[in-house]
Amino acid sequence: MTVDERILKPEERAAFTLRALYADHGYRQYKMSKFEEYDLYVKNKDFLISDNIITFTDTNGKLMALKPDVTLSIIRSTKDLPDGVEKVYYDENVYRVSKGTHRFREIKQSGLECIGAVGKENLCEVISLAAQSLKKLSPACVLDLSHLGILQAVIDSLNVPPETAAAIQRKAGEKNLHEIDALCTEANADPTATEIFKRLAQIYGQPETVLPQLEHLLKGTAAQPALNAFSAILTGLEQTPAKDVLRIDFSVVGDMRYYNGAVFKGFIEGIPGSVLSGGQYDRLMRRMHRNAGAVGFAVYLDMLERLQEGGGENG
Amino acid sequence: MDKFLNVALPKGRLGEKVYSMFENAGYDCPAIREGGRKLIFENKEKKVRYFWVKPSDVAIYVERGAADIGVAGKDILLEYEPDVYELLDLDIGKCRMAIAAKKDFRDDPGRTLRVATKFTNITQNYYAGKGRDIDIIHLNGSIEIAPILGLSDVISDIVETGTTLKENDLEVVETIVPISARLIANRASYKFKYKEITSLTAAVADQKEQKKV
């Protein structure tokens, strides 16, 4: 049987292309049921993009949910491997409230997760696959990469109360330097650390130009060990297809209760928001009483509907 | 080659001030001064395209990428919480978001406070932060008459000079947050038009500094 590729919609074509890419790299498909017990989501509500969940009572009286997310189910179904990793990808529909209509929508999502003894190689492979996914979708793409260890260390050295720290982190996500300034002044934050943090929030560019600036900026500070780890990841990515689309951008801020280390977001020219989002989520694993490390990302295929046809390596 | 920058400006007095700032920063577009009912203007040489939109819609145009950058009041940003970069405080269009009440108003903490406002989200967040139980009455204009007619106990609105309040026998009881115009940018545009957006931001920031001197 042959399928005429011309009849495929952009998001369908993307789903097939990504599937092939992930399978080629040794990831196996994870097929899940449409429902999960509500309990799983309610315990990690803040991890979800929207906290509204469609629920219903199953015939046995259990409260069930139409899955709003895939990562949590995957974590639950994998085992801690002491010296290996489990590599899975998925291509699923999830149910979330869309911001514009405030109504539930079915959203097509692809992605992969690498769970277990995650080392630098695994990390680089996942980031590189994220970059390759974007390239498959459109040649005009960037993958913004940030490191929460660095942000955390600098925020800690500001010496401000936790609620101010959280607000400052949100402002970094908006590149909102004037309000970072105002918040730091109000909380009597350490002036040197304030300047460093503002500079971090502002930084944007390719690793080879930004990394020397970071080294200069963070030399001898508490963020040095995290910077070394970040720098090692960047070195590991030099020989991968990710190299030319990588940008360092500390406005990529993940929720620090779940994420740690490298976090990233992908953008495609012509689509107003991020189409890919991911990172290391060891902290989420701990919250789910798991010892293993984990890294993964999701591609929001519904965003591709408006993408003009003909782009990407596959087009 | 430089790419065209799409700029959403808020229609009205604030927008004119903003355009002057952009003009002085080297991003002029003479056609815009000619008046008329046209809403889109471009300067092919400077690679900039301006359009006038309703002030409360600027954030939507920018968030959804129809405009790469735009200027919106902080009130709009706090109310709609668009997912955009906030690159600069322009220090113009300054006012504050405040709670006002009739001059003889005494708050009874034992009762639910009725608040009339156009800014539901900001008001709810403010009172939630204080742990106060409130009832929101959403109005689209002439908020000041709500307490006079007994529709609400207080109002939550933008106060510039306080004249309207005074003329209606109201006064500010507390300030929620100071407001001014902010330069915002679409997240994806920031990546793909990085050079254009950062040069414009720097030029406008220079203008702001020069005005201060």
Side-chain angles (χ1 to χ4, degrees), chain A residues 122-134:
Chain A
N122 303 110
L123 211 53
C124 290
E125 181 185 69
V126 170
I127 297 172
S128 162
L129 280 170
Q132 290 176 61
S133 306
L134 291 171

Side-chain angles (χ1 to χ4, degrees), chain A residues 131 135 206-208 237-247:
Chain A
K135 281 182 168 178
Q206 287 178 296
E208 58 262 38
L237 287 167
E238 260 170 25
Q239 303 303 325
T240 67
K243 190 181 180 280
D244 53 324
V245 296
L246 266 191
R247 304 283 183 274

Side-chain angles (χ1 to χ4, degrees), chain A residues 38-299:
Chain A
Y38 178 65
D39 232 30
L40 171 69
Y41 302 113
V42 82
K43 279 183 191 147
N44 297 289
K45 231 173 177 182
D46 298 327
F47 178 73
L48 306 174
I49 294 174
S50 94
D51 48 3
N52 294 62
I53 300 168
I54 306 179
T55 56
F56 66 97
T57 314
D58 211 344
T59 47
N60 60 3
K62 272 201 174 134
L63 189 59
M64 303 296 283
L66 253 73
K67 57 181 185 305
D69 170 87
V70 182
T71 308
L72 292 173
S73 315
I74 292 187
I75 296 176
R76 207 158 66 157
S77 69
T78 53
K79 287 186 202 73
D80 278 354
L81 299 175
D83 41 31
V85 288
E86 204 162 344
K87 307 205 285 188
V88 294
Y89 75 88
Y90 60 85
D91 179 8
E92 295 281 340
N93 287 326
V94 294
Y95 303 88
R96 281 195 209 122
V97 172
S98 86
K99 198 186 167 193
T101 58
H102 301 289
R103 296 277 192 278
F104 280 105
R105 282 192 57 211
E106 185 180 63
I107 293 166
K108 215 170 156 48
Q109 188 173 309
S110 275
L112 58 82
E113 316 287 346
C114 176
I115 295 173
V118 174
K120 202 192 85 185
E121 290 70 29
N122 303 110
L123 211 53
C124 290
E125 181 185 69
V126 170
I127 297 172
S128 162
L129 280 170
Q132 290 176 61
S133 306
L134 291 171
K135 281 182 168 178
K136 295 267 182 209
L137 304 175
S138 165
C141 60
V142 294
L143 184 68
D144 287 355
L145 186 62
S146 148
H147 196 281
L148 291 183
I150 297 177
L151 277 173
Q152 177 95 66
V154 179
I155 290 178
D156 287 347
S157 59
L158 286 170
N159 222 345
V160 293
E163 55 280 13
T164 312
I168 287 173
Q169 201 201 338
R170 272 199 307 279
K171 294 299 161 197
E174 297 170 4
K175 291 193 178 285
N176 190 336
L177 304 184
H178 43 277
E179 283 180 12
I180 293 176
D181 228 357
L183 283 165
C184 287
T185 313
E186 196 184 288
N188 248 329
D190 181 81
T192 326
T194 305
E195 280 314 306
I196 294 180
F197 189 73
K198 276 167 62 186
R199 186 76 197 102
L200 268 190
Q202 207 179 9
I203 271 175
Y204 186 77
Q206 287 178 296
E208 58 262 38
T209 45
V210 171
L211 201 54
Q213 296 174 25
L214 281 178
E215 270 157 10
H216 178 72
L217 186 69
L218 301 173
K219 200 173 178 191
T221 67
Q224 184 77 55
L227 176 63
N228 295 345
F230 191 40
S231 169
I233 298 170
L234 291 170
T235 314
L237 287 167
E238 260 170 25
Q239 303 303 325
T240 67
K243 190 181 180 280
D244 53 324
V245 296
L246 266 191
R247 304 283 183 274
I248 294 178
D249 183 351
F250 286 94
S251 75
V252 181
V253 289
D255 188 328
M256 292 201 193
R257 284 171 299 174
Y258 302 103
Y259 291 100
N260 61 295
V263 287
F264 46 89
K265 268 190 190 331
F267 293 85
I268 285 176
E269 189 162 18
I271 298 179
S274 64
V275 296
L276 181 151
S277 166
Q280 281 178 273
Y281 53 89
D282 298 351
R283 288 196 182 132
L284 172 61
M285 297 291 284
R286 301 297 165 271
R287 286 173 73 107
M288 293 178 76
H289 311 292
R290 294 283 300 273
N291 294 318
V295 57
F297 63 81
V299 186

Side-chain angles (χ1 to χ4, degrees), chain A residues 99-100 140-142 144 171 173-179 202 204 249 251 267-273, chain B residues 3 62-65 74 80-89 182 186-194:
Chain A
K99 198 186 167 193
C141 60
V142 294
D144 287 355
K171 294 299 161 197
E174 297 170 4
K175 291 193 178 285
N176 190 336
L177 304 184
H178 43 277
E179 283 180 12
Q202 207 179 9
Y204 186 77
D249 183 351
S251 75
F267 293 85
I268 285 176
E269 189 162 18
I271 298 179
Chain B
K3 295 173 188 164
V62 175
E63 184 182 30
R64 298 225 166 206
K74 186 68 189 175
Y80 298 105
E81 301 181 349
D83 189 20
V84 294
Y85 288 129
E86 184 181 319
L87 299 176
L88 203 60
D89 183 349
R182 311 293 165 96
N186 174 269
R187 285 187 184 264
S189 298
Y190 188 85
K191 330 279 164 193
F192 298 106
K193 298 183 180 175
Y194 179 71

Side-chain angles (χ1 to χ4, degrees), chain B residues 49-68:
Chain B
R49 186 181 295 124
Y50 289 102
F51 36 92
W52 296 114
V53 303
K54 198 175 160 155
S56 53
D57 290 342
V58 170
I60 299 170
Y61 280 82
V62 175
E63 184 182 30
R64 298 225 166 206
D68 300 310

